[in-house]
Amino acid sequence: MSSDPSPEAPEQGPGAARRARRAQRRKRLQEDAEAARNESEAENDAPGTERLDSPGQRKRRDLMQAIRKEDQSLPATTKGTAVDQPADAIYPMTDEERDAQIAQIQRDLVKRRRRRWFLLWLRLAFFVVLPTTLVGIYYYNHASPLYSTNSAFVIDRAAAPGAMSAGGLLSGTTFATSREAISVQEFLTSREAMRALDEELQIIEHYSDPTIDPIQRLEPDASENAAYRAYKDRVLVGYDTTEGIVRLEVIAASPDMALAMSERLISMAEARVDTMSDANQNDAVRAAQQSFDDSTRALDEAYDTVLALQEQVGVFSAEIEVGLVQTTISALTASLEERRLSLAALLDNARPNPAQLRILNAEIARLETAIDEQRAIIVNSQADQDSLARVSADLNRAEQRLARQQVLLQEATARLVVAQREAAQQSLYLSLAVNPILQPVPTYPRKLEYTALAFVIFFAIYMVASLTISILREQMSYGN
């Protein structure tokens, strides 16, 4: 006799069995928590007792929080499954089983923390400690010792002849401008200086010595660019703008080579300073010579202008000619006054002689005509020549120009003499503040400093990478 299946029968399958076990465990935990709450309330309601949480109560409260979290994480169930079965069909959980589960959860938490700490130290060891150890091993065991030679020099400017007598501190400083010092600095680190050193000391061959470790060694067939990069790393030049001192440090694989390179670079710098000084002096002499030549040429032109005017008008000096005319006019004026007085005396007679009157009047007329002609020579232009006033003005302008050119020629001559005197002296010179000496003890590598610096760099890179990955992971999880 067949019977219809009950709609309340539980579902079959592995998923239903797993949900049934979870529901059974949760039900037992709820019953234990309810019993513990009732006991706690009974103890608290008893007279003379205080409301204090015992270790068991705290453990039960933590257990209830774990149940709530588990309820939130469990999927929804359907009606008629094992979750909705009555409590009589669920087997109760003993205290030993509950304590064992709690201990298992605690062990899992501790194991997870330990695993995280282990992975953290493993990453630090792999990304920070291991590279730092390799760097330290290289510097302490494999890096070739390098020797350095330090020196310092200043570029001074020769004081002017009257600078010290002009007045103490107000006369200025003898230090050269920063332009000369920077020019020397650029020269010492240039390819020209490297080629000059290589021709004399074979520095490229020295830096390619097989005794140098492979990291610091220059390849034997290296290009000029690679050699120049190595040269700039080995020759360090700095300029102190406040004190005007140029500091030079030369690094080589042997102390003798470092000393030889430093001395040769200093001599090359001194030669370059002399070249700049000679160039400045030659420019000054050339400018003074050009000014002297121009003044001489202008003076010759002024002389030619005066001479041409004198030849053109036939007058050597306009002042002399005007003086002569003025003297003639004065003499004629005196004769005219004498004739006028004679005429007046003759007219005082009752019966003057007509012949004498006629002669006196004729002489007076001739004298007046002569005086007018002499005055016309000074003021008015004649048919064949200009007036003496114009001739005098032209000659005065030409003579003033001549005098001005003479003064300019004197000044140009003085400047030329001063420039030639200064050219005979040295305006710029290099003076050593610190002489290069032989350094028997290796200066590089600085093992402890370089290892500590490598640790700081690797740790900073690890921290930046970790923070970046954490931020990206958080952003991705938030987007999901």
Side-chain angles (χ1 to χ4, degrees), residues 195-213:
R195 292 172 182 173
L197 283 178
D198 186 54
E199 291 178 359
E200 297 183 9
L201 303 176
Q202 289 78 37
I203 60 173
I204 296 179
E205 182 180 353
H206 171 74
Y207 289 132
S208 303
D209 191 352
T211 57
I212 303 176
D213 64 274

Side-chain angles (χ1 to χ4, degrees), residues 102-339:
I102 294 174
Q104 182 64 32
I105 294 174
Q106 293 177 350
R107 283 194 297 271
D108 292 340
L109 293 176
V110 172
K111 186 182 299 183
R112 186 181 303 173
R113 293 192 186 99
R114 289 178 179 176
R115 184 171 63 255
R116 289 181 178 178
W117 276 102
F118 176 75
L119 293 177
L120 173 63
W121 285 108
L122 183 62
R123 288 193 297 268
L124 288 175
F126 184 77
F127 292 107
V128 179
V129 178
L130 179 60
T132 304
T133 304
L134 295 177
V135 171
I137 291 173
Y138 164 73
Y139 282 127
Y140 277 93
N141 299 328
H142 301 285
S144 301
L146 298 177
Y147 302 84
S148 68
T149 301
N150 296 304
S151 59
F153 57 87
V154 295
I155 300 175
D156 294 332
R157 185 184 297 277
M164 298 305 296
S165 61
L169 296 176
L170 298 178
S171 60
T173 178
T174 59
F175 286 130
T177 59
S178 59
R179 182 181 61 184
E180 286 80 5
I182 293 175
S183 299
V184 173
Q185 179 183 3
E186 293 296 328
F187 167 71
L188 293 178
T189 56
S190 63
R191 295 177 184 267
E192 180 183 357
M194 183 194 71
R195 292 172 182 173
L197 283 178
D198 186 54
E199 291 178 359
E200 297 183 9
L201 303 176
Q202 289 78 37
I203 60 173
I204 296 179
E205 182 180 353
H206 171 74
Y207 289 132
S208 303
D209 191 352
T211 57
I212 303 176
D213 64 274
I215 296 179
Q216 302 183 88
R217 183 174 64 236
L218 184 65
E219 297 297 331
D221 55 348
S223 62
E224 185 178 0
N225 293 331
Y228 181 61
R229 287 194 297 269
Y231 172 78
K232 292 187 69 175
D233 292 337
R234 302 296 191 274
V235 177
L236 308 177
V237 185
Y239 173 62
D240 191 348
T241 56
T242 58
E243 300 178 358
I245 298 178
V246 180
R247 292 181 172 86
L248 173 64
E249 182 180 5
V250 179
I251 303 172
S254 65
D256 296 332
M257 177 59 72
L259 179 61
M261 289 177 61
S262 181
E263 291 177 347
R264 181 56 186 144
L265 285 174
I266 291 175
S267 63
M268 291 168 61
E270 187 173 4
R272 182 52 59 98
V273 170
D274 294 340
T275 302
M276 292 189 296
S277 176
D278 294 340
N280 295 334
Q281 292 167 354
N282 292 333
D283 292 341
V285 172
R286 191 180 301 108
Q289 185 66 41
Q290 183 66 31
S291 177
F292 176 78
D293 295 339
D294 294 341
S295 300
T296 303
R297 190 181 306 107
L299 182 62
D300 294 338
E301 293 177 357
Y303 272 121
D304 294 338
T305 302
V306 173
L307 182 59
L309 286 174
Q310 290 175 350
E311 291 177 350
Q312 181 181 356
V313 299
V315 175
F316 176 74
S317 175
E319 289 79 4
I320 296 176
E321 293 293 331
V322 173
L324 291 175
V325 174
Q326 292 290 343
T327 302
T328 302
I329 293 174
S330 298
L332 292 174
T333 303
S335 299
L336 178 62
E337 291 297 328
E338 184 179 356
R339 297 297 186 278

Side-chain angles (χ1 to χ4, degrees), residues 94-107:
T94 61
D95 294 339
E96 290 79 5
E97 293 177 351
R98 184 175 63 252
D99 294 338
Q101 289 187 359
I102 294 174
Q104 182 64 32
I105 294 174
Q106 293 177 350
R107 283 194 297 271

